[in-house]
Amino acid sequence: MSHHLLRHYIAGAFVGSSRTFDNVSPVDGRLLGQVCEAGQAEVNAAVEAAAAAQNGPWARFSAAQRADLLERIADGIERRFEDFVAAEVADTGRPVHQARSLDVARGVQNFRSFAGLVRQAGGEFFEMRSGDGSDVFSYTVRKPHGVVAIISPWNLPLLLLTWKVAPALACGNSVVVKPSEDTPSSATLLAEVMHEVGVPAGAFNLVHGFGPNSAGEFLTRHPRVDAITFTGESRTGSTIMRAAAEGVREVSFELGGKNAAVVFADCDFDAAVAGVLRSSFTNSGQVCLCSERVYVERPIYERFVAALKAGAEKLKIGYPDEDGVNMGSLISHKHRDKVLGYFQLAVEEGASVVTGGGVPRFGDARDKGAFVQPTIWTGLADDARCMREEVFGPVCHIAPFDSDEEVLRRVNDSAYGLAASLWTRDLGRAHRVSRRIHVGMVWVNTWFLRDLRTPFGGARLSGLGREGGRHSLDFYSELTTICVNP
Ligand code: NAD
Ligand code: 6OD
């Protein structure tokens, strides 16, 4: 990608602003371009454009027309598929094959999936006999909230943004999106696609910028925003919730995790090793669903630690387009400092470093990048900070356990509650254990496999509400009950 200036998209036009910030490659520190930073004026303009669209042509789109539009957006992303891949790779340093098979593919799928759902969505209908003997019927209609603010993180930029934009538009809302300051590129391309396929002016608006005292805060505090949907850190969720309290706006939060993988002695051993390798190190551990706590039943503990170590040491770290590369850089040097801080803290807390724990040396431009080694710890106490706080890097701790009750207690002993994965051949045990884990999602003998109709979200510090399928339609619409006494 050539040196660029990424602009906002407001009221159907690309607009700049006087303040800009740098867009930097995490692979080698190269300057990719500049990004405009929205101030209060740009955020006001975006919100006003979104509100105005609720009284313009966009408001007259039927559900079927909105579904057609979503399909055209999906087609538009597919037409520029490789541009999206390049944008995602440039901002994040992830392997090109991952951007193709996961990030951009899911961007397309999110629009197609919600197009199908909104075409099928109906309301509820009830009949009753009133006191005077007449048959009364009640039914529900779905209406948009109005203006929805969408704030997204950097770890799966297009996937997580479109996961919210698609259902919000499907329900007829206007949106103002603010991508992470670290990953502005794919959101800008999405705005170009919106423009190309004729999304009515004001229905989709994009502002770039940071969180506190910048575009994110201005957006979430704006009184004309009717609902806020946010993916990111739990602490940011609390801050946004306080902003949403003013005006009692709806919120939906997908927040952090400290997810457990539980490996029972009766598992398919090789599948469990491959599965945990994926769930701990995919996207350099920067997926909210990654397993940072691994519990292995004692009879296979030593063998499992050795096998995961061997697997982690075979992972190829490098440039996004290198043959056979498995892991790219972290998102930024700032994030690497945080991850390396935990690497040091783990040692201070008594961890044995089974593998990794540092920075790989390449002897080329990648030494200026934000790489870290895939890392495995053992020996930490359950109350160590490294066992309780989300690191969000390529790291897991492995501990042995002796019984279902013991592992359930330890898995549930967390302030977070996003996801868990179980590895066992005993499906009866899997059912019994799954329902007792306090999380939003449990995978059995797999990880990250998603049917987009299922509810997605977390308990405790991991979030508020569920999105996915009809749960998204419920969040992104206001239901009105109409009761008719004929
Ligand atoms: P973050 O909370 O720092 O930032 C997320 C977004 O919020 C960014 O766009 C940022 O600019 C904005 N923001 C920051 N402060 C704000 C404020 N005060 N007001 C309004 N907006 C603000 O998170 P991150 O570092 O970008 O992402 C990583 C985190 O996201 C991890 O904790 C990860 O677990 C979590 N995450 C959760 C899920 C999930 O589905 N549960 C998915 C992906 C990531
Ligand atoms: O698959 C999804 O729909 C989803 N929301 C994934 C979240 C991943 C977190 O990093």
Side-chain angles (χ1 to χ4, degrees):
M1 196 182 264
S2 54
H3 195 86
H4 51 234
L5 175 68
L6 302 181
R7 293 176 299 165
H8 319 295
Y9 182 70
I10 300 173
F14 284 93
V15 292
S17 47
S18 49
R19 283 168 72 122
T20 59
F21 59 95
D22 290 347
N23 179 209
V24 174
S25 163
V27 175
D28 52 14
R30 203 164 28 98
L31 185 67
L32 299 169
Q34 299 290 314
V35 188
C36 292
E37 181 185 354
Q40 188 71 62
E42 288 82 9
V43 171
N44 288 350
V47 174
E48 279 156 25
Q54 288 295 303
N55 296 313
W58 175 232
R60 293 186 285 280
F61 272 52
S62 67
Q65 287 172 319
R66 295 196 300 266
D68 290 346
L69 185 66
L70 260 54
E71 293 284 7
R72 295 207 300 278
I73 297 167
D75 294 342
I77 299 174
E78 269 177 339
R79 268 195 300 278
R80 301 188 58 185
F81 198 92
E82 289 305 320
D83 293 344
F84 276 94
V85 169
E88 213 70 324
V89 167
D91 281 355
T92 63
R94 70 197 37 183
V96 171
H97 61 79
Q98 181 200 309
R100 284 203 184 107
S101 63
L102 176 65
D103 300 88
V104 185
R106 259 297 295 281
V108 173
Q109 207 189 346
N110 284 338
F111 284 103
R112 297 216 190 285
S113 165
F114 284 107
L117 272 161
V118 78
R119 268 199 194 95
Q120 300 294 326
E124 289 175 292
F125 176 79
F126 306 94
E127 279 184 80
M128 66 178 271
R129 181 75 42 90
S130 76
D132 66 7
S134 57
D135 286 324
V136 173
F137 61 91
S138 301
Y139 65 97
T140 57
V141 289
R142 279 182 189 281
K143 294 181 300 192
H145 289 293
V147 179
V148 176
I150 301 179
I151 305 208
S152 51
W154 45 258
N155 63 317
L156 296 171
L158 186 71
L159 186 160
L160 291 169
L161 186 65
T162 54
W163 171 240
K164 291 173 181 294
V165 170
L169 293 181
C171 293
N173 298 284
S174 311
V175 301
V176 181
V177 309
K178 197 210 75 69
S180 166
E181 53 275 25
D182 288 322
T183 51
S185 301
S186 58
T188 310
L189 278 180
L190 184 65
E192 289 179 15
V193 166
M194 297 283 172
H195 197 78
E196 285 156 14
V197 306
V199 172
F204 175 91
N205 305 275
L206 159 73
V207 289
H208 291 294
F210 300 85
N213 204 25
S214 181
E217 182 176 336
F218 301 149
L219 183 55
T220 53
R221 286 187 177 281
H222 199 293
R224 279 298 283 108
V225 166
D226 299 294
I228 303 169
T229 180
F230 166 73
T231 306
E233 279 191 19
S234 304
R235 240 193 332 260
T236 315
S238 302
T239 306
I240 292 178
M241 201 163 179
R242 281 193 286 276
E246 197 60 49
V248 198
R249 274 91 51 78
E250 296 233 27
V251 290
S252 172
F253 290 155
E254 296 178 5
L255 309 175
K258 187 74 182 176
N259 311 301
V262 181
V263 183
F264 293 97
D266 66 4
C267 68
D268 173 337
F269 187 84
D270 293 343
V273 171
V276 174
L277 205 58
R278 251 186 91 222
S279 72
S280 294
F281 301 123
T282 292
N283 205 34
S284 300
Q286 303 167 120
V287 179
C288 58
L289 306 162
C290 276
S291 328
E292 293 191 5
R293 295 182 294 150
V294 182
Y295 298 94
V296 181
E297 209 168 0
R298 199 172 301 274
I300 61 166
Y301 174 73
E302 299 292 345
R303 190 173 153 224
F304 188 90
V305 172
L308 203 72
K309 171 183 190 307
E313 286 172 357
K314 276 198 210 111
L315 292 175
K316 181 168 175 186
I317 315 173
Y319 283 119
D321 58 356
E322 263 179 70
D323 264 355
V325 70
N326 301 110
M327 256 181 55
S329 64
L330 296 179
I331 188 66
S332 63
H333 287 83
K334 183 170 160 223
H335 186 57
R336 183 169 76 169
D337 289 346
K338 176 183 159 190
V339 171
L340 291 176
Y342 278 108
F343 284 8
Q344 190 182 331
L345 177 65
V347 173
E348 288 162 17
E349 291 189 312
S352 300
V353 180
V354 175
T355 187
V359 168
R361 291 288 164 220
F362 300 99
D364 58 30
R366 289 172 295 181
D367 289 338
K368 294 201 195 113
F371 293 89
V372 294
Q373 293 168 325
T375 295
I376 300 174
W377 302 319
T378 56
L380 284 172
D382 286 353
D383 63 356
R385 278 183 56 202
C386 290
M387 292 290 279
R388 307 196 77 81
E389 298 173 16
E390 180 188 50
V391 179
F392 220 54
V395 60
C396 67
H397 176 268
I398 318 183
F401 73 91
D402 293 298
S403 73
D404 292 7
E405 289 305 317
E406 178 204 334
V407 79
L408 270 165
R409 181 180 49 73
R410 294 170 74 186
V411 166
N412 284 331
D413 181 20
S414 173
Y416 291 101
L418 189 57
S421 44
L422 307 181
W423 297 89
T424 175
R425 286 193 168 102
D426 179 347
L427 288 187
R429 185 188 218 179
H431 286 296
R432 282 193 305 278
V433 170
S434 297
R435 61 188 304 127
R436 293 180 60 197
I437 304 181
H438 299 316
V439 292
M441 292 150 296
V442 179
W443 279 282
V444 178
N445 295 331
T446 184
W447 176 77
F448 203 80
L449 190 58
R450 298 272 291 109
D451 180 326
L452 301 189
R453 296 168 299 182
T454 56
F456 184 102
R460 299 171 168 162
L461 279 188
S462 292
L464 191 62
R466 296 289 181 272
E467 297 196 32
R470 75 168 175 82
H471 306 274
S472 294
L473 300 187
D474 285 348
F475 174 73
Y476 292 101
S477 51
E478 195 70 63
L479 290 179
T480 298
T481 301
I482 301 175
C483 174
V484 182
N485 187 357

